């Protein structure tokens, strides 16, 4: 019949149209002259697995422990997630610790989507608040500005400042406003150029964009803006929420010297957060002008209190205050540090701010995993004194020690995960737990064993170089 799939082909059809098959509507076909069927063609092709046949199910990797529970496996998965956050490149590189960054938030209609719960807009605003706090925690002598994109224009949310409290207050006023209109990358980038125009050359100039749309409503040619960004040495990083966009990849590639790692698309909520917080690490300096050494003038004021029954005004917010910091050059009073003196423009910081900025230049090296063969020298974590699992077959441990040691092999085998639950510093050789490993690399940025200088102390198998003893 004429409406069947591929059975009838008219006489007026050309030979090229049907791939060389000659079919007549009058005489029946000779079986010997019948062309090869689709079945014979499929047989000649290489048989491969479909995409859905290579699914990796997380429940297939779950292994029951000796006691019939999943406690050991769950503990191993949690520890593996913590350890994965620490396996970073710790090569000392020259980085720009004085940063000037503009955070651009997409507030267009695309942020109303709910593929990221509770919605793209609410999640972006929550992560932006967390980003501001973490940014100044990791870069205390840097500055930040925030810009929004909505209704085809760029909206200034907060000006360039080194005070995180000002940015958080301004962000709070935009949380409950519904996103609307189209985004405009060109308008946002032009406003970023204006905000970064007067920044000094010894600092970095960066733009971080959270982009949820797949289009941009621009008034002109965005490639002209791209050439201006390259000329002004402004780096652009983009975190996408929908899919890859060609112009976004081009912006990140050409402003970062051909490196496309600064453009990423979030897969889910946790991945979105990780991509955003990765930008808090200062970038590596590439240009020769930024690599040259330069001297900066800074002030280190002390905290002072107003005289009894008197009130002072801060020069930064024009508010009455009882305490503050006096500028070491002109004497103007500011209420928070770090800050830039409103009177003379001197950068005012504390010595602790400068010390915290240097941990990016000399990062703490990753601690190594301790196998069971090297786990006999420690019973507890050197830092928090948390007991380690007993070594399997260890003498003097009894049958109970062997049972505890057999719980750890039930954990999944993950790269960087220690089978004994111990992690050793390569300098002082002390053993630490995973929580102390995480705390030392993300908060302290120093090794407790190296700071206590126990490298020359005698080592015993009963104590992991512990600094104190606990009564039973």
């Amino acid at each position: 019949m004429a409406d069947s799939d591929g059975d009838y082909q008219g006489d007026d059809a050309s030979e090229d149209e049907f791939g060389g098959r000659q079919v007549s509507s009058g005489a029946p076909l000779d079986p010997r002259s019948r062309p090869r069927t689709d079945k014979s063609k499929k047989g000649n092709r290489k048989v491969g697995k479909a995409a859905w046949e290579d699914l990796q199910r997380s429940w297939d990797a779950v292994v029951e422990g000796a006691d019939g529970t999943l406690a050991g496996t769950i503990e191993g998965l949690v520890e593996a997630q913590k350890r994965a956050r620490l396996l970073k490149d710790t090569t000392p590189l020259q980085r720009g610790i004085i940063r000037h960054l503009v955070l651009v938030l997409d507030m267009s209609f695309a942020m109303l989507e709910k593929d990221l719960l509770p919605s793209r807009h609410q999640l972006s605003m929550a992560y932006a608040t967390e980003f501001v706090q973490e940014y100044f925690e990791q870069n205390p002598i840097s500055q930040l500005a925030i810009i929004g994109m909505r209704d085809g224009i760029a909206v200034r949310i907060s000006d360039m400042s080194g005070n995180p409290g000002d940015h958080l207050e301004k962000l709070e006023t935009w949380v409950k406003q519904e996103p609307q209109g189209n985004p405009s990358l060109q308008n946002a980038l032009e406003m970023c150029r204006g905000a970064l125009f007067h920044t000094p050359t010894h600092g970095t100039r960066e733009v971080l964009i959270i982009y949820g749309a797949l289009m941009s409503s621009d008034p002109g040619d965005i490639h002209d803006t791209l050439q201006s960004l390259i000329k002004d040495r402004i780096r652009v990083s983009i975190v996408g929420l929908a899919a890859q966009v060609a112009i976004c990849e081009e912006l990140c590639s050409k402003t970062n010297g051909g490196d496309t790692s600064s453009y990423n698309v979030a897969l889910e909520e946790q991945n979105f957060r990780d991509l955003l917080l990765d930008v808090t690490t200062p970038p590596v300096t590439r240009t020769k002008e930024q690599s040259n050494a330069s001297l900066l003038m800074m002030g280190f004021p002390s905290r002072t209190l107003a005289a009894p029954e008197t009130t002072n005004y801060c020069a930064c917010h024009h508010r009455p205050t009882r305490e503050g910091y006096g500028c070491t050059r002109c004497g103007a009073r500011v209420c928070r540090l770090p800050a830039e003196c409103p009177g003379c423009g001197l950068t005012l910081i504390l010595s602790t701010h400068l010390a915290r900025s240097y941990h990016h230049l000399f990062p703490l090296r990753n601690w190594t995993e301790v196998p069971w063969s090297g786990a006999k020298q420690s019973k507890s974590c050197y830092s928090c004194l948390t007991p380690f699992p007993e070594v399997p077959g260890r003498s003097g441990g009894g049958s109970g020690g062997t049972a505890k040691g057999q719980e750890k092999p039930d954990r999944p085998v993950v790269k960087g995960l220690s089978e004994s639950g111990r992690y050793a510093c390569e300098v002082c050789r002390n053993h630490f737990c995973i929580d102390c490993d995480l705390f030392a690399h993300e908060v302290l940025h120093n090794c407790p064993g190296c700071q206590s200088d126990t490298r020359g102390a005698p080592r015993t198998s009963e104590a992991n170089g512990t600094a104190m003893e606990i009564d039973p």
Side-chain angles (χ1 to χ4, degrees):
M1 297 177 63
D3 58 348
S4 60
D5 297 336
D7 290 338
Y8 174 80
Q9 295 172 353
D11 296 332
D12 54 346
S14 63
E15 181 178 348
D16 296 335
E17 183 178 353
F18 297 107
R21 284 188 255 178
Q22 297 181 356
V23 181
S24 175
S25 58
L29 294 176
D30 186 359
R32 291 175 295 181
S33 63
R34 182 175 300 172
R36 292 183 302 173
T37 60
D38 293 341
K39 184 176 181 181
S40 61
K41 292 181 180 180
K42 292 180 180 179
N44 295 332
R45 290 185 299 182
K46 294 182 179 180
V47 180
K49 289 185 177 180
W52 57 269
E53 293 180 310
D54 283 335
L55 292 177
Q56 296 180 357
R57 303 177 179 87
S58 58
W59 54 86
D60 291 342
V62 177
V63 181
E64 273 192 12
D67 54 354
T69 64
L70 302 177
T73 301
I74 295 175
E75 180 184 352
L77 292 175
V78 173
E79 185 171 336
Q81 293 177 357
K82 294 179 180 179
R83 184 63 176 171
R85 293 162 53 185
L86 301 177
L87 296 180
K88 300 179 181 179
D89 186 11
T90 58
T91 304
L93 298 172
Q94 185 174 358
R95 300 178 182 273
I97 61 175
I98 301 179
R99 308 173 63 185
H100 302 89
L101 185 141
V102 180
L103 176 63
V104 181
L105 302 176
D106 190 351
M107 297 180 176
S108 64
F109 71 96
M111 302 302 288
L112 293 173
E113 297 290 337
K114 296 186 178 181
D115 49 357
L116 298 177
L117 298 178
S119 68
R120 289 183 184 178
H121 176 66
Q122 296 181 18
L123 189 66
S124 298
M125 298 301 288
Y127 285 167
T129 302
E130 188 175 353
F131 173 81
V132 171
Q133 297 173 346
E134 185 67 18
Y135 175 80
F136 285 103
E137 180 69 24
Q138 301 293 332
N139 310 272
I141 59 177
S142 300
Q143 294 190 349
L144 177 73
I146 305 177
I147 291 175
M149 296 184 294
R150 58 185 293 156
D151 292 329
I153 60 175
V155 182
R156 188 181 301 273
I157 298 178
S158 63
D159 295 323
M160 187 69 67
S161 170
N163 191 342
D166 296 340
H167 301 296
L168 296 177
E169 291 177 4
K170 298 293 181 60
L171 270 178
E172 189 67 25
T173 61
W174 288 85
V175 171
K176 296 183 179 180
Q177 296 194 22
E178 290 292 328
Q180 62 184 16
N182 296 329
S184 178
L185 276 175
Q186 186 179 17
N187 287 333
L189 292 174
E190 289 292 345
M191 184 174 286
C192 293
R193 286 186 58 217
L196 297 172
F197 181 76
H198 297 285
T199 57
T201 57
H202 59 258
T204 63
R205 299 175 178 180
E206 307 169 57
V207 175
L208 173 60
I209 303 176
I210 300 177
Y211 201 60
L214 296 176
M215 51 81 69
S216 177
S217 179
D218 300 326
D221 189 0
I222 195 174
H223 291 88
D224 296 338
T225 304
L226 175 57
Q227 296 302 321
S228 301
L229 294 173
I230 298 174
K231 181 180 179 181
D232 296 340
R233 301 191 311 276
I234 298 177
R235 306 185 185 195
V236 179
S237 302
I238 299 178
V239 178
L241 303 182
Q244 286 191 348
V245 182
I247 188 60
C248 295
E249 185 175 2
E250 185 178 356
L251 281 170
C252 296
S253 175
K254 292 187 176 181
T255 57
N256 289 274
D259 185 12
T260 59
S261 61
S262 57
Y263 178 42
N264 298 279
V265 178
L267 303 178
E268 33 86 19
E269 289 85 351
Q270 184 62 35
N271 183 243
F272 179 26
R273 179 181 180 274
D274 295 340
L275 292 175
L276 201 59
L277 296 184
D278 283 345
V279 188
T280 57
T281 303
V284 179
T285 56
R286 294 192 181 96
T287 60
K288 184 178 180 180
E289 184 176 352
Q290 288 182 342
S291 300
N292 295 334
S294 58
L295 298 178
L296 305 178
M297 186 173 292
M298 294 184 178
F300 298 88
S302 300
R303 179 171 171 268
T304 58
L305 295 176
E309 300 181 357
T310 60
T311 302
N312 295 328
Y313 278 84
C314 69
C316 49
H317 298 92
H318 304 286
R319 298 173 184 173
T321 178
R322 295 276 301 170
E323 58 184 25
Y325 301 87
C327 177
T328 56
R329 176 189 288 173
C330 65
R333 183 180 298 273
V334 295
C335 56
R336 298 176 183 176
L337 292 182
E340 185 174 337
C341 177
C344 60
L346 182 65
T347 301
L348 305 176
I349 62 173
L350 296 176
S351 59
T352 54
H353 295 151
L354 194 60
R356 276 162 44 196
S357 300
Y358 272 91
H359 75 265
H360 294 293
L361 305 179
F362 308 100
L364 180 62
R365 287 187 292 180
N366 293 328
W367 293 345
T368 59
E369 305 83 23
V370 179
W372 287 116
S373 58
K376 296 182 180 180
Q377 68 181 34
S378 62
K379 282 187 174 181
S380 61
C381 174
Y382 176 82
S383 181
C384 65
L385 302 181
T386 300
F388 285 137
E390 293 290 338
V391 180
R394 183 172 179 175
S395 59
S399 59
T402 305
K404 289 184 179 180
Q406 292 175 353
E407 293 179 1
K408 288 296 174 181
D410 294 335
R411 301 185 305 174
V413 180
V414 181
K415 179 182 178 182
L417 185 62
S418 174
E419 59 182 0
S420 63
R422 298 164 171 83
Y423 301 91
C425 173
E426 295 180 348
V427 179
C428 64
R429 300 296 179 184
N430 288 310
H431 293 177
F432 302 89
C433 63
I434 182 62
D435 294 322
C436 291
D437 187 3
L438 197 70
F439 183 73
H441 284 83
E442 292 191 346
V443 180
L444 290 181
H445 304 288
N446 287 288
C447 173
C450 296
Q451 293 297 311
S452 58
D453 198 12
T454 60
R455 285 167 285 182
R459 300 189 61 84
T460 62
S461 59
E462 296 299 326
N464 183 22
T466 52
M468 58 180 292
E469 295 183 358
I470 299 179
D471 296 334

